[in-house]
Amino acid sequence: MIIRQVVHAWPNNRQWLILCLAAAVTTFIVWSASPAAPSMAPNLKKFQKTTVTSSRRPPLAHSNTLVEFFPDWTTADPHDPVPVQRVYVYSATLALQHTPPTGSHIRITAFQEQRVAQLRCCFRHRGNDTSAPALVVHTHKVEDKQEVLGVVYQCHVPISPQNLTGIRVTMTPDSACPVEDVYYLPVYIPEVVKGGLAICGKVAFGSLLDPLKLVEWFEMQKLLGVDKIQILDFDNSVNVTKVFRYYQETGLLAMFPFKLPGRPWGRGFTDETRVLYQLAQDEDFSVLECRLRLAGYDYVMSIDMDEIILPRKKTSLKPYFQEIFGPNSKLAAVYFHVQFFVEEFGPEDKDAPLHVLRYLKSTPARWECQKYTYMPARADQGSTHSINPFPGFITKRIAPEEAVVHHYRHCPHGWPECRPSHITDRSITRFQVDLVPRVKDVLSKIGL
């Protein structure tokens, strides 16, 4: 096994950072059509929609702080008569890796504006109410210009994890807890899957997502031994939704609705609606959710839906990761080089039945937009391209001779030319006999 310790998990070159962020949010688009040039200052006005309806749950308010609860988030300019600070609560999850000596820690994901007053958690459980301070334990902040931040709050409840069934929680800027049940969210208890392997697939969006290639991707992950895939759903087409629904029904996919609140109002993830200085917050919010909800799996891969982590020799990822992590009890995460299988290179086998079997020409392995696999029991919070190990743990870099990320896409925006040196890599064809009939069977079942 060839592994190298990571010295810098995140490159210092800011242009490279922007390239990878931009590439990541177009990952679902570029697999089917070449994206337009990115806009640093998109015209958002035409994308704004009114989110206030008669059935909308009003925010909890105190002084100039408002706490809103998904899906009743403000996503269009509310034209506040006086300045207010908003917190946008998304979900609540039991923290598996942060269990206190007594009781439990509940972690709440949210977007919030940069200056927010102290909040309080209120719990409702079997007819009893209790409260505790809401402490910010993680803020994903890259640069000062960002207007809303992805944050994780933590609240202590004096109930053991074994007795949390049915507990609900809310956050309020007031010292008094709300009476109405509508403000209390269920607390998700992560499933513990010994030896389990999951994927954090981030956010799915855009009308150009290709449902046929999605089926290839899902079936390839199943062949590699993946047990669960988690994705946030941000406005997808009918046929793509059919694919997602199929894999939800099989139990492979956990999918949750998503939107983007706060300033810049009306933004999204497409080239026309994204705002690059806000992009890291918007994209990495899904990583915060994955870190909590997938905490019961032994291994979690952070990859996009046009990427496959492929060992050079083994045909299943679980024994491969056991071989890497097992002997080293201090290893929290491993990083992988990337081979870009760029469509502009042309198909190697134009008559092959699947996209991944046609496009076999790639760049040599590059340390560009690297991805990783981590053990939740050993790693803290992460982002699209990096993760922080717990104190006392380390991360390492896998040599490309051992395994690599296959990234299927069009030519990235930031490359000076779309004809870098390339190779032919046929390693994925060893799955052809099993993969082709699986894909055809699924397409037949969902009517595509």
Side-chain angles (χ1 to χ4, degrees), residues 179-221:
V179 175
E180 300 88 345
D181 284 337
V182 70
Y183 290 108
Y184 288 80
L185 310 176
V187 175
Y188 178 73
I189 311 298
E191 181 183 8
V192 176
V193 183
K194 293 295 184 183
L197 173 62
I199 289 176
C200 180
K202 297 194 303 181
V203 183
F205 66 92
S207 61
L208 295 180
L209 251 171
D210 189 326
L212 304 183
K213 294 170 187 174
L214 280 180
V215 173
E216 289 185 29
W217 184 82
F218 276 110
E219 290 304 311
M220 190 65 212
Q221 303 302 341

Side-chain angles (χ1 to χ4, degrees), residues 3-6 9 291 298-302 321 324-325 328-336 367 371-383 385-390 392-398:
I3 50 180
R4 302 174 182 136
Q5 187 163 353
V6 172
R291 179 61 189 84
D298 278 4
Y299 313 106
V300 178
M301 298 185 288
S302 178
F321 289 138
I324 293 173
F325 288 97
N328 191 340
S329 62
K330 296 298 182 181
L331 184 59
V334 291
Y335 291 88
F336 297 91
W367 193 246
K371 293 299 175 67
Y372 60 89
T373 297
Y374 69 95
M375 294 190 70
R378 303 177 184 180
D380 199 4
Q381 300 292 349
S383 61
H385 298 285
S386 67
I387 191 163
N388 298 316
F390 284 136
F393 291 86
I394 62 172
T395 64
K396 290 192 175 183
R397 183 182 300 184
I398 297 296

Side-chain angles (χ1 to χ4, degrees), residues 415-430:
W415 287 5
E417 60 177 354
C418 201
R419 291 285 177 181
S421 61
H422 58 270
I423 60 175
T424 297
D425 184 341
R426 297 182 176 275
S427 57
I428 202 167
T429 61
R430 68 186 188 268

Side-chain angles (χ1 to χ4, degrees), residues 231-262:
I231 297 170
L232 298 187
D233 180 9
F234 191 92
D235 189 20
N236 289 286
S237 69
V238 172
N239 283 340
V240 167
T241 300
K242 285 183 180 180
V243 175
F244 289 146
R245 186 178 299 118
Y246 171 82
Y247 287 104
Q248 284 179 287
E249 291 172 354
T250 67
L252 176 66
L253 176 63
M255 196 160 197
F256 306 96
F258 189 52
K259 58 177 71 174
L260 293 176

Side-chain angles (χ1 to χ4, degrees), residues 28-42:
F28 309 118
I29 294 178
V30 296
W31 214 10
S32 56
S34 297
S39 171
M40 289 293 291

Side-chain angles (χ1 to χ4, degrees), residues 36-327:
S39 171
M40 289 293 291
N43 178 9
L44 299 177
K45 185 175 181 180
K46 63 182 178 180
F47 298 100
Q48 294 179 0
K49 298 179 181 179
T50 301
T51 59
V52 178
T53 66
S54 58
S55 61
R56 186 175 187 267
R57 173 176 36 185
L60 295 176
H62 180 73
S63 185
N64 69 333
T65 302
L66 304 179
V67 178
E68 302 181 357
F69 300 87
F70 188 86
D72 302 316
W73 284 354
T74 301
T75 57
D77 191 345
H79 302 289
D80 297 315
V82 295
V84 297
Q85 301 296 322
R86 285 182 167 83
V87 178
Y88 306 92
V89 173
Y90 186 70
S91 73
T93 305
L94 169 67
L96 292 188
Q97 278 82 40
H98 302 84
T99 303
T102 60
S104 305
H105 282 156
I106 306 301
R107 292 201 161 187
I108 297 171
T109 54
F111 281 105
Q112 71 175 38
E113 296 177 359
Q114 296 214 22
R115 297 177 183 84
V116 176
Q118 175 67 52
L119 302 178
R120 193 161 190 82
C121 282
C122 299
F123 296 97
R124 184 160 289 176
H125 186 240
R126 299 176 184 175
N128 297 314
D129 290 359
T130 186
S131 66
L135 307 176
V136 175
V137 293
H138 177 75
T139 301
H140 182 64
K141 185 174 181 180
V142 177
E143 55 184 65
D144 291 336
K145 193 175 181 181
Q146 292 163 346
E147 300 188 63
V148 290
L149 307 176
V151 299
V152 179
Y153 282 90
Q154 179 171 284
C155 304
H156 179 265
V157 59
I159 304 172
S160 68
Q162 295 78 12
N163 296 318
L164 283 178
T165 302
I167 194 169
R168 300 173 71 85
V169 64
T170 190
M171 281 204 312
T172 177
D174 202 342
S175 58
C177 293
V179 175
E180 300 88 345
D181 284 337
V182 70
Y183 290 108
Y184 288 80
L185 310 176
V187 175
Y188 178 73
I189 311 298
E191 181 183 8
V192 176
V193 183
K194 293 295 184 183
L197 173 62
I199 289 176
C200 180
K202 297 194 303 181
V203 183
F205 66 92
S207 61
L208 295 180
L209 251 171
D210 189 326
L212 304 183
K213 294 170 187 174
L214 280 180
V215 173
E216 289 185 29
W217 184 82
F218 276 110
E219 290 304 311
M220 190 65 212
Q221 303 302 341
K222 288 174 63 178
L223 279 175
L224 289 168
V226 172
D227 299 301
K228 182 68 70 175
I229 298 171
Q230 180 171 310
I231 297 170
L232 298 187
D233 180 9
F234 191 92
D235 189 20
N236 289 286
S237 69
V238 172
N239 283 340
V240 167
T241 300
K242 285 183 180 180
V243 175
F244 289 146
R245 186 178 299 118
Y246 171 82
Y247 287 104
Q248 284 179 287
E249 291 172 354
T250 67
L252 176 66
L253 176 63
M255 196 160 197
F256 306 96
F258 189 52
K259 58 177 71 174
L260 293 176
R263 298 180 180 86
W265 302 109
R267 70 191 186 280
F269 289 100
T270 65
D271 286 341
E272 296 81 12
T273 61
R274 72 190 187 199
V275 180
L276 286 184
Y277 68 77
Q278 184 63 37
L279 191 55
Q281 301 293 330
D282 297 343
E283 182 188 47
D284 289 343
F285 190 86
S286 60
V287 181
L288 302 181
E289 276 293 302
C290 287
R291 179 61 189 84
L292 293 171
R293 289 180 174 268
L294 300 177
Y297 288 80
D298 278 4
Y299 313 106
V300 178
M301 298 185 288
S302 178
I303 58 175
D304 293 325
M305 297 179 68
D306 56 358
E307 296 176 326
I308 301 167
I309 295 179
L310 200 63
R312 295 295 191 186
K313 297 178 181 179
K314 294 185 182 296
T315 57
S316 179
L317 284 169
K318 286 182 183 178
Y320 177 67
F321 289 138
Q322 290 166 359
E323 183 179 323
I324 293 173
F325 288 97

